[in-house]
Amino acid sequence: MGRIGQLKDFSSLFDERILERAKGYRDAGMVTSVAQSADDGDLWHARVAGTLGFYDVDIRIHRGMVISAACTCPYGQKHSYCKHVGAVLGV
């Protein structure tokens, strides 16, 4: 599994409750893969186990800063920074 490099503090992107749940997902090993895109070095793809199966997560990081994120989970359809994104960033 890949590993995202050194990141600047990203906690302000998340609701505190979501960030706590993300840490639980990370600690439980729910992040099953993380890989940097071969075509775009700023883009990372990940898969995270969730309540309804696996979710795909895409995160754009430039110079250590999180620029954007997307997740296929139901919460991620309305909010960019869900617990699955947080779990990936914490790996």
Side-chain angles (χ1 to χ4, degrees):
M1 178 168 67
R3 182 163 174 83
I4 296 175
Q6 189 75 4
L7 293 174
K8 294 184 169 108
D9 182 27
F10 56 84
S11 62
S12 65
L13 300 172
F14 294 86
D15 176 82
E16 188 175 322
R17 182 179 58 92
I18 296 294
L19 197 55
E20 284 303 314
R21 293 179 73 192
K23 289 176 184 175
Y25 266 55
R26 177 202 63 207
D27 294 346
M30 304 292 271
V31 179
T32 62
S33 68
V34 178
Q36 191 172 21
S37 170
D39 298 329
D40 181 348
D42 287 349
L43 186 61
W44 291 79
H45 304 289
R47 285 187 55 92
V48 181
T51 308
L52 302 174
F54 287 90
Y55 299 114
D56 294 310
V57 174
D58 288 330
I59 304 171
R60 183 166 299 282
I61 299 168
H62 186 71
R63 296 185 179 175
M65 291 185 62
V66 177
I67 304 300
S68 64
C71 180
T72 58
C73 76
Y75 184 87
Q77 302 305 300
K78 295 182 180 179
H79 305 87
S80 295
Y81 299 101
C82 66
K83 63 187 173 191
H84 306 105
V85 170
V88 172
L89 291 172
V91 169

